[in-house]
Structures are given as structure tokens and as C-alpha cells.
């Protein structure tokens, strides 16, 4: 039995798995395909995180620091798994940098990618500069520190959030019927941030139904309305167009409460993006023979184990958003659980 563990993916799930293994004294190799650790929240400059309203550097930064400085952990950036032979307890892995290693267990934490809104042509993304994604709004806040209309650089008077773009959408087929889990809550937070800094800007949220899970209901659904005056409108968006007459967007939708179509002028429309399995998740699934959901293509755990992190392949554990939409704190927890399982699997002699 080889006594080291390979962790694939350096986002929240992979970082927490590597950190836990390092703390247990288990020799660990962490491979990350990009040039930096931190996963989507760091790479894509998320601004303020739900639920604690902290910055990604505050939440994920300490994990990166510890992983980079623990001598039990070897971090390989710009590196991927290219081949794997052998079996549980003695996997012989080949990496894209040419290195070969023998490891006893593998943790897959290859995460998700954002839905490409160009696939919903009727929403006008890529056509009208003032239709942006919530990811771009996060970058606007975190990198430029101000809210503006990309078309003219001016402060918008009316901002609309369109929920569920690329999620819960049967028009896209079976691949995108899942809920993104974070979108309603993050939009509530972003709406509050806009109203706090720009009280004259009106904010509207267009929703099918609002899913602010568990304890997120008051702080990210009721508080935006009761304390900040964010307005919620129930309905499906039919189309977003542009009116050259006044240079504003038009949001056309069917209000499903009053049951009539309406067309509302907006200055900035923010699309709330869904989550899909990352290309890396699909690639690693093929190399390792991991089971995927036939519809969404996310990884699925073994039927027999009853555990969410034990894969269909002995000695291989799966954590975080490679299995579907999940928040950061849960990704951390799953990484730690996968580390405990992997350490137990290789019979690690724990040093504390
Ligand atoms: C717009 C948006 C905002 C969000 N805001 C919040 C929030 O405020 N609070 C919250 O709790 N959650 C939020 N989330 C969810 C959060 O992003 C996820 O919970 C978290 O990123 C999942 O971590 P992960 O490590 O599983 O995946 P990821 O963050 O996707 O990290 C996976 C890592 O694996 C790497 N990788 C992929 N393939 C390979 C490969 N083959 N080899 C090596 N490395 C590979 C990737 O480069 C990446 O670094 C948000 C999601 C979105 C879409
Ligand atoms: S969390 Fe909200 S925005 Fe995201 S898919 Fe679910 S209902 Fe839609």
C-alpha cells in the first residue's frame, strides 16, 4: 500500500483535503491545472461571499497559505493528471509535467464551470453591452470598485437580476435542470450592496421561485426587501431587447402573479449564471472511470456506500462542486471528509 495521496484540483474542496492530509502527516501531492490555487472564487475575483460577507482572500486565503507552507504537501501548478494505471492502494499516475508517482488513494476535486449565457440568445448577452453576468458584476465591484453601465460608463438608474440562467431550464435539455443553489442568495446580497452604496438605484429581481436554502432565507431574501427595498418580480423572462430611442434595455416577461405580459425599461441586466461540471471533471472521470450522472454529467457517489464522497472506484474519493452545485463551506467540509477517508484507506500512521 503506497502511503501518499494525490489530490486533483486546488479549489476550496481540494485545498481543504490537502490541508487536512498535510496536518495528519500524510505525504500529499496537489495538482492544479491553472497557475494559481483557490478555484473559481479566487480565479474569477468573486467580491463578497455568502453567507458571512467576507472576501474570498479572507475565506480561502488561509487554506492556500497553509497548503503552500506545509512540507507534507507538494503543490504542482499548471499540472493535470494524464493517465492512471494500477489499482486502489497502488495507483501509478502520470502527470502532464512528465512526473510519475505511486499513490495509495486519490481525491478528485475538479469543480465546476460557469454556464455560458450565449446559449440563451434571447437574453441578449454578447449583443447588448449592458447585459452582463453576475460574475462580471462581482468583478466590477472587486476590481473597479463601482457600478456602471458598460455602454456609457454611467451609473444605471434601474438594475434587473435575472435568476436561473442555465439552471432549472428544460429548454436546454436534461443537462441543465438542476438548481445552482447559490444564485438567489448571492443576488440578494448583491442587490443589498447596490442599494447601500447607491440608494437612488432601483433593483429588481426576476425569479421563478426563490430558493434561499436553510438559514439564508432571512439575510438574503427578506432583508433585501425589508431593509434595502429590493423588489422581487415573479415571472419568466421572454426576451431582452434594446431601444435605440432611449438607449435603454427592455425586459419582456410574463408576470406569473398578475398573469399578464409586461415590458420594463432597464439600464443594466445581470444574468445569474448556473453551474456545470468543469471540462477537467469530465476529463478526470474518463481517465479514472468515475460514474457520472447521465443527465448533468456531474460525478456521482457509489450507490452502496451511503456516503456522498466515496466514488464507484475503491480508493478514489470525490469532493466539492465536481458533484454538483455546492457552497464553499460545504466544499471545505467535503474536502476534509475525503481526506479522512483517504487517510484511513491507506492506513496512514497519523502524526499529530
Ligand atoms: C458566480 C458564483 C458566485 C458564487 N458565490 C459563492 C459565495 O458567495 N459563497 C459560497 O459559499 N459559494 C459561492 N459559489 C459557489 C462556489 O464557487 C463553490 O462552492 C466552490 O467554488 C466549489 O469549490 P470546488 O473546489 O469544488 O470547485 P472550484 O472552485 O471549481 O475549483 C476546482 C479547481 O480544480 C481545478 N481543476 C479542474 N480540473 C482539473 C484537472 N483536470 N486537473 C487539475 N486541476 C483541475 C480548477 O482549475 C479549479 O481550481 C458561487 C458560485 C458562482 C458560480
Ligand atoms: S438558487 Fe435561485 S437562481 Fe439558482 S437555480 Fe436555484 S432558484 Fe434559480
Amino acid at each position: 500500500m503506497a502511503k501518499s495521496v494525490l489530490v486533483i484540483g486546488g479549489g476550496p474542496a481540494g485545498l481543504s483535503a490537502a490541508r487536512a492530509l498535510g496536518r495528519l502527516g500524510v505525504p500529499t501531492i496537489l495538482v492544479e491545472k491553472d497557475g494559481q490555487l483557490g478555484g473559481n472564487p479566487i480565479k474569477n475575483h468573486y467580491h463578497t461571499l455568502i453567507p458571512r460577507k467576507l472576501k474570498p482572500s479572507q475565506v480561502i486565503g488561509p487554506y492556500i497559505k497553509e497548503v503552500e507552507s506545509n512540507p507534507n504537501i507538494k503543490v504542482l501548478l499548471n499540472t493535470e493528471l494524464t493517465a492512471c494505471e494500477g489499482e486502489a492502494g497502488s495507483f501509478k499516475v502520470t502527470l502532464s509535467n512528465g512526473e510519475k508517482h505511486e499513490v495509495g488513494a486519490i481525491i478528485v476535486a475538479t469543480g465546476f464551470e460557469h454556464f455560458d449565457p450565449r446559449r440563451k440568445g434571447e437574453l441578449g448577452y454578447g449583443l447588448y453591452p449592458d447585459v452582463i453576468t453576475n460574475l462580471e458584476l462581482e468583478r466590477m465591484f472587486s476590481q473597479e470598485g463601482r457600478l456602471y453601465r458598460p455602454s456609457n460608463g454611467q451609473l444605471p438608474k434601474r438594475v434587473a437580476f435575472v435568476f436561473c440562467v442555465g439552471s432549472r431550464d428544460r429548454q436546454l435539455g436534461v443537462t441543465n435542470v438542476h438548481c445552482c443553489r447559490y444564485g438567489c442568495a448571492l443576488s440578494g446580497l448583491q442587490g443589498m450592496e447596490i442599494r447601500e452604496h447607491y440608494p437612488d438605484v432601483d433593483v429588481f429581481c426576476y425569479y421563478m421561485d426563490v430558493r434561499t436554502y436553510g438559514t439564508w432565507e432571512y439575510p438574503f431574501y427578506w432583508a433585501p426587501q425589508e431593509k434595502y427595498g429590493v423588489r422581487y418580480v415573479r415571472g419568466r423572462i421572454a426576451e431582452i431587447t434594446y431601444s435605440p430611442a432611449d438607449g435603454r434595455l427592455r425586459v419582456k416577461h410574463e408576470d406569473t402573479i398578475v398573469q399578464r405580459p409586461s415590458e420594463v425599461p432597464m439600464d443594466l441586466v445581470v444574468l445569474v449564471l448556473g453551474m456545470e461540471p468543469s471540462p477537467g471533471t469530465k476529463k478526470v472521470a474518463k481517465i479514472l472511470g468515475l460514474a457520472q450522472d447521465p443527465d448533468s454529467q456531474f460525478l456521482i457517489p457509489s450507490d452502496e456506500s451511503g456516503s456522498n464522497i466515496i466514488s464507484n472506484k475503491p480508493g478514489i474519493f470525490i469532493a466539492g462542486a465536481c458533484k454538483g452545485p455546492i457552497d464553499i463551506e460545504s466544499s471545505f467540509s467535503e474536502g476534509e471528509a475525503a481526506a479522512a477517508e483517504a487517510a484511513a484507506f491507506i492506513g496512514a500512521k497519523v502524526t499529530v
Side-chain angles (χ1 to χ4, degrees), residues 29 74 76 93-101:
I29 302 164
K74 178 176 177 176
L76 297 171
V93 297
T94 306
L95 306 179
S96 55
N97 63 1
E99 289 184 22
K100 290 179 190 296
H101 297 274

Side-chain angles (χ1 to χ4, degrees), residues 253-270:
H253 79 288
E254 169 86 24
D255 188 318
T256 48
I257 290 183
V258 293
Q259 298 212 322
R260 61 160 193 250
S262 76
E263 186 178 307
V264 187
M266 289 288 164
D267 301 304
L268 187 69
V269 171
V270 181

Side-chain angles (χ1 to χ4, degrees), residues 186-232:
L186 183 68
S187 305
L189 175 62
Q190 291 176 325
M192 288 191 287
E193 285 178 323
I194 292 174
R195 295 279 299 159
E196 185 176 355
H197 295 289
Y198 308 98
D200 293 335
V201 176
D202 291 322
V203 176
F204 301 82
C205 289
Y206 287 89
Y207 68 96
M208 270 195 285
D209 52 61
V210 177
R211 295 182 173 179
T212 38
Y213 291 86
T215 53
W216 293 359
E217 181 84 357
Y218 184 78
F220 302 115
Y221 175 57
W222 290 111
Q225 297 174 77
E226 292 175 353
K227 294 187 178 168
Y228 293 85
V230 174
R231 290 184 239 176
Y232 282 70

Side-chain angles (χ1 to χ4, degrees), residues 82-269:
T82 55
C84 178
E85 290 171 355
E87 57 193 26
S90 176
F91 292 111
K92 297 186 176 60
V93 297
T94 306
L95 306 179
S96 55
N97 63 1
E99 289 184 22
K100 290 179 190 296
H101 297 274
E102 185 186 9
V103 295
I106 298 175
I107 295 174
V108 176
T110 42
F112 74 98
E113 71 171 348
H114 302 88
F115 175 78
D116 180 354
R118 289 177 190 83
R119 286 164 61 193
K120 296 290 290 178
E122 69 274 22
L123 299 181
Y125 182 79
L127 203 57
Y128 311 125
D130 295 330
V131 178
I132 65 171
T133 66
N134 57 348
L135 200 54
E136 288 162 339
L137 183 67
E138 290 281 276
R139 285 193 206 127
M140 212 182 251
F141 288 156
S142 65
Q143 300 204 284
E144 299 173 71
R146 71 186 185 97
L147 178 72
Y148 62 90
R149 300 179 72 194
S151 63
N152 60 12
Q154 290 174 4
L155 183 69
K157 290 192 180 70
R158 292 158 67 91
V159 177
F161 286 84
V162 177
F163 287 13
C164 309
V165 175
S167 310
R168 305 179 63 201
D169 187 343
R170 296 180 67 170
Q171 285 175 354
L172 289 164
V174 290
T175 48
N176 292 70
V177 292
H178 53 276
C179 172
C180 77
R181 296 184 75 102
Y182 80 94
C184 290
L186 183 68
S187 305
L189 175 62
Q190 291 176 325
M192 288 191 287
E193 285 178 323
I194 292 174
R195 295 279 299 159
E196 185 176 355
H197 295 289
Y198 308 98
D200 293 335
V201 176
D202 291 322
V203 176
F204 301 82
C205 289
Y206 287 89
Y207 68 96
M208 270 195 285
D209 52 61
V210 177
R211 295 182 173 179
T212 38
Y213 291 86
T215 53
W216 293 359
E217 181 84 357
Y218 184 78
F220 302 115
Y221 175 57
W222 290 111
Q225 297 174 77
E226 292 175 353
K227 294 187 178 168
Y228 293 85
V230 174
R231 290 184 239 176
Y232 282 70
V233 185
R234 186 159 188 230
R236 258 296 197 191
I237 304 297
E239 194 182 14
I240 294 170
T241 57
Y242 171 75
S243 167
D246 61 5
R248 302 177 95 184
L249 298 166
R250 294 286 184 277
V251 172
K252 298 180 181 175
H253 79 288
E254 169 86 24
D255 188 318
T256 48
I257 290 183
V258 293
Q259 298 212 322
R260 61 160 193 250
S262 76
E263 186 178 307
V264 187
M266 289 288 164
D267 301 304
L268 187 69
V269 171

